[in-house]
Structures are given as C-alpha cells and as structure tokens.
Amino acid sequence: MHAVHELPPITVTTLDFDRLVAFGLDAYLRGDRHADFLLSELKRATLCPPRALPGEVVSVHRWVHYRLDDDPTVRGQLLVHPLDLTDLPDGLSVASPLGTALLGLRVGDRMPFRIDGTGTRHVATVEGVGWRLIDEPIPGHDALTKAALSLSVAAATKAASCPDGLGAPGIDLRALLCPALG
C-alpha cells in the first residue's frame, strides 16, 4: 500500500458545512465514535458557496468514483448526508469513515482513514466525480423540493450503473433534477 504523507486540502460548501457541523456535534454528544473524524475534517476544510464549488470536488449529494487501497476496482456511490439515507438507502453516508475521507477531495487525491471496529488503515483515491443533486434555489426558479428529490431517487440509483455517472439510458437526469440546466 502506498503511504499518504500529507493530507490533501479539502473544499466543502457552506451549506454542507453547516448541516454537517450540526450533525457532527450532535453525534459527538451521543458518543458516536466516527464524529471526531468528521469534525476534524470539517475544521480543516476550505469553505465556498454551493454555486462556486468546482466540478471536480467531492461533495454531499454528488456521485463519487473511488478506489480503496491498491484494489484496481473502481466503485461509484452517491455521497449523502446521514439524515438523507432514508430517501437514498444506497448512498454512502458522509458520516461513515469512508464518506468523511472522500468529502472535499478532488480527482486524483488520496486520503487515509481508519475503520474503528478493526483499526485497519485504508487509503481512498478519488477516480472521478459525477453530477450533483441540486439542493439550493436557482435564481428565478423554485428550490428543488424534498418531494422532487424523492421522486428522482429511482433515476439516480439507475444512473450509478452508467460509466459516466451522468444518467441512465432513456433518462435525462439533468432535466429531471434541474430543468433550468436542461
């Protein structure tokens, strides 16, 4: 396994930061053993407005393609806020050690993390970043509502199987999730 000598910089949107700090502090007070890692990553993050987030940065509600350790297999999952897992059960919780490790990284970045149960050290490498569910208002348009997000879950799950992460055959996810971008 290749060592990671320096932690890569991370970028997090102000919206994700606020939600995750609130979640992380609550989890810490409940004794969640993963909260320390999440809060320490948030502490070192560079913040930006949601609309200014570069396209190659892993964020909440964005598809991420990654490898673990030196395994050549590339996996793809939607990184989700832990409270959104009921709507997106196949998502990767940002509060998990792997999810926290991936948060804010750019394509090519490598980040070490440990799984508390075993103490085993792993390294996650970001191989690609896909589309992001829009969760803020678009000027001149209504915000994407929770109901619309729920309706798009089936399409989003199908999109994960597409190599480019941008959509499933016959489904225009950009039009479905954000008509203003269509």
Side-chain angles (χ1 to χ4, degrees), residues 102-141:
L102 291 169
L103 179 66
L105 297 180
R106 293 176 183 261
V107 174
D109 285 346
R110 296 171 48 85
M111 178 70 181
F113 68 99
R114 291 190 187 277
I115 298 176
D116 288 335
T118 62
T120 304
R121 183 179 186 271
H122 296 281
V123 175
T125 304
V126 177
E127 295 294 329
V129 178
W131 52 269
R132 182 172 199 243
L133 296 175
I134 304 293
D135 54 4
E136 64 166 323
I138 296 172
H141 293 77

Side-chain angles (χ1 to χ4, degrees), residues 8-152:
I10 62 172
T11 304
V12 176
T13 70
T14 51
L15 181 66
D16 291 344
F17 180 84
D18 291 344
R19 284 189 78 200
L20 292 172
V21 165
F23 176 86
L25 291 173
D26 181 61
Y28 178 80
L29 293 174
R30 287 183 285 113
D32 184 323
R33 64 185 187 272
H34 301 299
D36 283 338
F37 183 37
L38 176 61
L39 291 171
S40 68
E41 285 300 284
L42 291 171
K43 184 177 180 180
R44 70 182 198 88
T46 299
L47 302 181
C48 73
R51 293 271 175 214
L53 185 72
E56 71 276 4
V57 174
V58 178
S59 67
V60 177
H61 295 149
R62 184 169 266 174
W63 287 99
V64 58
H65 300 276
Y66 61 92
R67 284 185 304 107
L68 290 177
D69 303 319
D70 291 327
D71 185 352
T73 305
V74 175
R75 298 168 174 88
Q77 287 184 282
L78 182 65
L79 190 64
V80 298
H81 188 283
L83 298 179
D84 296 336
L85 282 174
T86 54
D87 293 330
L88 301 162
D90 295 330
L92 172 62
S93 172
V94 71
S96 70
L98 174 59
T100 298
L102 291 169
L103 179 66
L105 297 180
R106 293 176 183 261
V107 174
D109 285 346
R110 296 171 48 85
M111 178 70 181
F113 68 99
R114 291 190 187 277
I115 298 176
D116 288 335
T118 62
T120 304
R121 183 179 186 271
H122 296 281
V123 175
T125 304
V126 177
E127 295 294 329
V129 178
W131 52 269
R132 182 172 199 243
L133 296 175
I134 304 293
D135 54 4
E136 64 166 323
I138 296 172
H141 293 77
D142 292 334
L144 180 63
T145 64
K146 188 80 163 174
L149 176 61
S150 296
L151 290 174
S152 67

